[in-house]
Amino acid sequence: MRTPMEAFTDVRPAIDCLDLLTAPVAEALRGWSGGVPVTEVRYVDTDPDKADTAVLVANYGSWLLEQSANCVVVAAKRGGEVTLAACLVLAHTRADVNGVVRRHFGARKASFAPMETATGETGMEFGGITPIGLPADWPLLVDAAVADAPYVLIGSGSRRGKIIVPGKALAELPGATVLEGLAA
């Protein structure tokens, strides 16, 4: 089975590329803990115009679609309270926001957060939001298929560059809950 590392010519430990990452992502890597060493988190420099999944896989290899994950920011509303959270699902699927996410938070309504909210609250660029470096109080819902993947290609916090990380490391991120069926 191919790994995402095979699609790129320059794959480096992300900890050696902190100057290429957004501040929240760099800070999270500096404070990395868990069962997977930070050196297993890798960075690849990519063209920002190729950040969107469909364009990325068309240019770097269609097989990457099965090994890429998207991080989306959601807003769950209950009463007058809004809970912002992130969902991480494989790129060829979609987060079940109106079903699994809404029920998980016991919310009346759940929806994708507005772009301005997602980027403003995370300090990351739209099209590059990643689960690494999210606000400390945010829940992170990880689809079980992502957690089970040997390696996953995810955003780096900006449209330029991607991060390759073992799925089990994503399941260990702060605030992470692994859910079966998060992806539809």
Side-chain angles (χ1 to χ4, degrees), residues 1 90 142-152 166-171 178 180:
M1 178 183 202
L90 291 175
V142 179
D143 187 70
V146 172
D148 291 341
Y151 289 97
V152 182
K168 63 184 175 185
L170 296 167
V178 177
E180 290 285 342

Side-chain angles (χ1 to χ4, degrees), residues 12-127:
R12 299 177 273 167
I15 196 73
D16 295 340
C17 304
L18 297 179
D19 59 322
L20 300 174
L21 299 168
T22 59
V25 177
E27 188 61 32
L29 290 173
R30 281 187 200 96
W32 188 265
S33 63
V36 176
V38 71
T39 53
E40 289 295 309
V41 179
R42 297 180 178 109
Y43 175 82
V44 294
D45 195 15
T46 57
D47 183 337
D49 292 332
K50 297 175 183 169
D52 296 326
T53 303
V55 178
L56 181 107
V57 300
N59 283 275
Y60 293 99
S62 60
W63 56 274
L64 282 173
L65 183 62
E66 301 289 323
Q67 297 181 17
S68 297
N70 291 329
C71 185
V72 296
V73 177
V74 298
K77 299 172 185 172
R78 182 178 181 170
E81 284 193 37
V82 175
T83 300
L84 292 175
C87 298
L88 189 63
V89 298
L90 291 175
H92 65 278
T93 66
R94 292 178 170 219
D96 183 3
V97 176
N98 293 314
V100 173
V101 173
R102 184 184 57 75
R103 285 190 300 273
H104 178 79
F105 289 113
R108 176 186 51 78
K109 181 181 178 187
S111 58
F112 294 104
M115 179 177 61
E116 299 78 26
T117 301
T119 57
E121 294 290 326
T122 63
M124 299 178 199
E125 292 179 10
F126 187 74

Side-chain angles (χ1 to χ4, degrees), residues 144-172:
V146 172
D148 291 341
Y151 289 97
V152 182
L153 183 71
I154 60 174
S156 67
S158 70
R159 291 185 62 81
R160 176 176 209 118
K162 295 289 182 183
I163 292 176
I164 302 170
V165 61
K168 63 184 175 185
L170 296 167
E172 295 178 348

